[in-house]
Amino acid sequence: MASLPLRPPARTSVVILTALVAALARPTPAAACGGMVFPEHEARVGGMSDQELAVVFGAEETVLVASARYEGVDAAEFAFVLPLASAPADVRDGNPALFLALDEYSAPRIAIYQNEDERMGLCGSSDKAGGGNSLGDPMGDGGDVMVIDRGETATYEYVVIGGDTGTAIADWLTDAGYPLPADYAAALGPYVANDWFFFAAKVKPAADSGVLAPIELHLPPAQPATFEVPLAIATHSMKPNAELRLTTYFIGGGPVLPENYAAQAVDDDELVALSETETNYAELEAAVLASDPEGAWVIDYSNPLYAGGLAEAYDQGTWAGRIDPETADRAWLEDFTARAGLDGLHLTRLRTALKPAQLRDLTLRAASGPPVDAVHGVEYDPDAGQGCQIDRTGRLPQLLLLVPVLAWIRRKPRRH
């Protein structure tokens, strides 16, 4: 990193804004994801509202860490079902530190430069417990249901099963203490037809519902083109006509984009500063999300990760008050970064908000193209009569180092 000069350029200032659309703000609390099941499920007094997902495509395994948020439900009273193409070799509690650090590292931010001297004319150019593997069901005759694995983490009790029909899976899970509403049997049917497994978990009675952990699953190695994210089942956990907000982080040998959805970055050439603290970024992002009636994703970030980057982002968020170290474990984050082999891989952050009719299982593809940066720069000239567009001269990295003060519009603190 370049050393800091003694003085910044005369009367040039910058304001850093976190670019989060209000509609994508995260509710609380959090838990692992999938199709959620909760009390009074069929009445839909509550429902899933958000999912966060991180997938690491490693050479020896694929690691999936998943978390979800919901509204109007007691965290201690729900279960969830996650279809998987392969049975997990290991199941652990994750930690909120991963998603908090990834957010600090890759969430969009706007740098607004103010030229107060003169107009420029142009704006710049777990360890498992419980029974082992079995093909029978000690809780009943099972018939066409196979119990692949049972276990528990500090937060969850879980089971991995397979079966011949969605009805058999739903009935077995209901008898085993994972009560599924009637509509879930049909929802499970397509996964059964493709010989998928079902990971079902419920919160342990002693778990602290205020800090429910994400779930961390270790799966066989896969390439993005062979990996599918089961989003469709979430429609059975949502309030009618509600949106499901999704933030995904794909980490692998290169950029990863949706195969069966449109995806694009916000066009920096259209970015305009409306005032000293406001831009049109939210409108540009909303336009991307509305660009396809079948649903579309915003590419927030696409660049290589570097050693220690997530830990540094965690520290930055802690220093700024956006991360509470009492609910997020930095040591866990460093351990995960090392054992998942994140150094030198590529991070792609994608985000969307989808109605039930737009939700379908997400297929992926390896992609190529220019990098997408998290920091966007634009100059505001109060005398110009309109905002100026993004600085394309390459001076943004230097200015971010030169400014004496960075003013943050803080995100709401997130509880897990």
Side-chain angles (χ1 to χ4, degrees), residues 137 142-146 161-175 180 184-186 188-189 192 198:
D137 174 18
D144 48 6
V145 172
M146 297 182 298
I161 63 174
D164 293 337
T165 66
T167 299
I169 293 290
D171 289 347
W172 189 96
L173 289 173
T174 296
D175 292 341
L180 298 187
Y184 259 71
L188 301 180
V192 171
F198 298 91

Side-chain angles (χ1 to χ4, degrees), residues 50-75:
D50 293 66
Q51 282 192 19
E52 285 181 299
L53 181 74
V55 182
V56 182
F57 295 101
E60 298 182 358
E61 64 178 355
T62 299
V63 182
L64 182 154
V65 185
S67 178
R69 289 170 176 80
Y70 48 90
E71 298 171 337
V73 185
D74 185 346

Side-chain angles (χ1 to χ4, degrees), residues 329-380:
D329 187 343
R330 188 184 191 280
W332 182 94
L333 176 66
E334 288 189 308
D335 175 69
F336 179 86
T337 300
R339 58 187 169 83
L342 301 188
D343 186 28
L345 297 182
H346 191 102
L347 169 62
T348 307
R349 170 180 161 127
L350 302 164
R351 197 160 39 92
T352 191
L354 300 173
K355 295 285 190 179
Q358 297 172 315
L359 271 171
R360 52 191 179 273
D361 291 348
L362 176 64
T363 56
L364 305 171
R365 62 182 176 89
S368 60
V372 178
D373 296 318
V375 179
H376 307 264
V378 64
E379 183 179 287
Y380 174 67

Side-chain angles (χ1 to χ4, degrees), residues 67-132:
S67 178
R69 289 170 176 80
Y70 48 90
E71 298 171 337
V73 185
D74 185 346
E77 296 182 347
F78 75 86
F80 62 92
V81 179
L82 178 63
L84 295 169
S86 302
D90 190 16
V91 178
R92 308 184 184 193
D93 273 355
N95 191 275
L98 177 62
F99 291 116
L100 291 167
L102 284 167
D103 188 62
E104 287 289 328
Y105 191 92
S106 60
R109 293 177 174 87
I110 312 299
I112 302 178
Y113 302 100
Q114 299 171 35
N115 180 2
E116 300 170 356
D117 286 333
E118 59 183 33
R119 280 188 63 180
M120 297 177 60
L122 295 176
C123 301
S125 352
S126 101
D127 294 330
K128 296 187 211 175

Side-chain angles (χ1 to χ4, degrees), residues 28-261:
T28 58
C33 81
M36 285 189 170
V37 184
F38 37 83
E40 301 183 67
H41 186 282
E42 294 184 2
R44 293 296 199 274
V45 295
M48 187 188 306
S49 57
D50 293 66
Q51 282 192 19
E52 285 181 299
L53 181 74
V55 182
V56 182
F57 295 101
E60 298 182 358
E61 64 178 355
T62 299
V63 182
L64 182 154
V65 185
S67 178
R69 289 170 176 80
Y70 48 90
E71 298 171 337
V73 185
D74 185 346
E77 296 182 347
F78 75 86
F80 62 92
V81 179
L82 178 63
L84 295 169
S86 302
D90 190 16
V91 178
R92 308 184 184 193
D93 273 355
N95 191 275
L98 177 62
F99 291 116
L100 291 167
L102 284 167
D103 188 62
E104 287 289 328
Y105 191 92
S106 60
R109 293 177 174 87
I110 312 299
I112 302 178
Y113 302 100
Q114 299 171 35
N115 180 2
E116 300 170 356
D117 286 333
E118 59 183 33
R119 280 188 63 180
M120 297 177 60
L122 295 176
C123 301
S125 352
S126 101
D127 294 330
K128 296 187 211 175
N133 299 338
S134 68
L135 296 180
D137 174 18
M139 300 181 64
D141 55 11
D144 48 6
V145 172
M146 297 182 298
V147 178
I148 309 301
D149 193 14
R150 294 179 183 275
E152 63 181 55
T153 68
T155 306
Y156 304 103
E157 297 174 2
Y158 68 86
V159 64
V160 181
I161 63 174
D164 293 337
T165 66
T167 299
I169 293 290
D171 289 347
W172 189 96
L173 289 173
T174 296
D175 292 341
Y178 305 85
L180 298 187
D183 60 355
Y184 259 71
L188 301 180
Y191 303 104
V192 171
N194 289 324
D195 296 323
W196 281 38
F197 299 93
F198 298 91
F199 175 86
K202 56 186 174 182
V203 179
K204 294 169 66 173
D208 181 353
S209 62
V211 289
L212 294 180
I215 201 74
E216 178 186 331
L217 304 177
H218 293 249
L219 305 166
Q223 296 297 316
T226 64
F227 194 85
E228 192 168 340
V229 182
L231 297 181
I233 195 172
T235 60
H236 297 270
S237 305
M238 299 165 59
K239 289 183 178 180
N241 301 316
E243 285 186 331
L244 180 64
R245 296 174 289 266
L246 294 151
T247 304
T248 59
Y249 303 91
F250 296 111
I251 305 171
V256 175
L257 293 179
E259 172 66 28
N260 60 338
Y261 281 96

Side-chain angles (χ1 to χ4, degrees), residues 21 45 97 283:
V21 178
V45 295
E283 290 78 8

